[in-house]
Amino acid sequence: MEHRRIAIIRERLQAEADPDRAKAAQAYMKSSMPVLGVRVPVVRRIVLATAKEIPFGSPSELRDNVRLLWREATWREERYAAIDLTSLKSVAKDLEMLPLYEEIIRTGAWWDFVDGVSDRICALLQHHRSTLTPLLRTWASDEDFWIRRAAITSQLKAKSATDQELLAAALDANLADQEFFIRKAIGWTLREYAKTDPQWVRSYVESRRTRLSPLSLREAMKHLG
């Protein structure tokens, strides 16, 4: 059954391929993995429709499908499809998804894959704080900067449920990093949280102004003046 489901997803992705768009998308993403040129909303629609037609019998079955589709992907959109499968409600609170998200981050090693599981990690944090909080603090200092980016962006959609101490810890651990994708993540995260608590963001920025990169500072203050 799982192979049939994956085969259908692959066939439908192939049917939506756009060679002209693929060339531009591959150049934009700087992707060594071939690209079909299927738009992200179309990938998501295919995945959700297939999952509805062939429902998963258990979270374990879903994890197996995600793992197989991710590891055996020959097209970038197949990896997007694997990530889209993790959006199903049956695994939204499932802590056993965490090793799979970590695999996606470490082996995907690019912003679209890493950011694709950011809100999944955020959801797990809301339901498993005692497990996720210390883990994300560890991730914030990991040797892999993509794991660190995931720690920084893990509360992008938390809004009023944001753990400010965890947020500050993740940011502080990376202020000196020269990596563009880290500096961008710091600014992006602060900019988003400013929509919920602008005073906290202003205070954070003022207390660390000399340590924030110009890019992070510019992004953080974009809507604060």
Side-chain angles (χ1 to χ4, degrees):
M1 184 67 75
E2 69 178 31
H3 291 287
R4 180 185 168 207
R5 188 185 293 111
I6 290 174
I8 290 172
I9 290 174
R10 286 172 174 158
E11 289 170 4
R12 290 175 174 176
L13 289 174
Q14 290 284 346
E16 295 287 346
D18 182 339
D20 291 333
R21 188 175 185 279
K23 292 179 182 178
Q26 187 159 4
Y28 173 72
M29 294 305 303
K30 300 179 181 178
S31 175
S32 58
M33 179 176 281
V35 176
L36 287 168
V38 183
R39 296 181 183 279
V40 170
V42 176
V43 176
R44 186 171 297 115
R45 187 182 72 223
I46 288 171
V47 168
L48 296 181
T50 306
K52 185 176 181 179
E53 292 166 19
I54 311 176
F56 288 97
S58 66
S60 176
E61 183 182 346
L62 189 150
R63 286 194 298 274
D64 288 343
N65 268 220
V66 173
R67 193 175 292 109
L68 190 63
L69 192 52
W70 177 266
R71 292 178 180 177
E72 295 186 354
T74 56
W75 300 93
R76 198 169 193 89
E77 285 86 349
E78 290 175 2
R79 287 195 154 181
Y80 292 160
I83 291 174
D84 282 336
L85 281 176
T86 70
S87 71
L88 298 181
K89 291 182 179 180
S90 61
V91 294
K93 303 176 185 179
D94 188 354
L95 199 54
E96 292 188 50
M97 293 296 291
L98 190 57
L100 196 47
Y101 297 147
E102 183 172 357
E103 177 179 341
I104 288 172
I105 295 166
R106 291 190 187 277
T107 61
W110 201 241
W111 64 266
D112 53 342
F113 297 139
V114 176
D115 297 349
V117 298
S118 175
D119 61 333
R120 318 293 200 258
I121 295 171
C122 183
L124 288 182
L125 175 63
Q126 306 313 310
H127 295 96
H128 305 281
R129 289 192 179 274
S130 62
T131 298
L132 268 291
T133 298
L135 176 69
L136 291 171
R137 283 177 176 269
T138 300
W139 278 18
S141 299
D142 195 274
E143 291 184 1
D144 185 339
F145 75 80
W146 292 114
I147 287 288
R148 286 189 273 119
R149 179 180 171 97
I152 292 167
T153 61
S154 64
Q155 297 192 82
L156 267 175
K157 296 185 178 181
K159 298 183 179 180
S160 60
T162 295
D163 179 336
Q164 294 177 342
E165 290 187 6
L166 176 59
L167 175 58
L171 296 172
D172 288 347
N174 290 278
L175 290 179
D177 198 288
Q178 301 295 308
E179 169 59 50
F180 168 82
F181 288 106
I182 291 296
R183 292 183 167 190
K184 185 72 173 179
I186 290 171
W188 180 25
T189 299
L190 287 169
R191 185 185 74 208
E192 285 302 302
Y193 190 48
K195 297 175 183 177
T196 298
D197 193 337
Q199 186 53 48
W200 188 92
V201 174
R202 285 194 182 95
S203 177
Y204 181 88
V205 168
E206 287 305 315
S207 64
R208 295 158 175 84
R209 183 175 290 272
T210 60
R211 298 167 59 196
L212 283 161
S213 71
L215 171 60
S216 298
L217 183 60
R218 183 170 62 252
E219 286 292 314
M221 300 300 290
K222 185 167 287 186
H223 303 299
L224 292 180

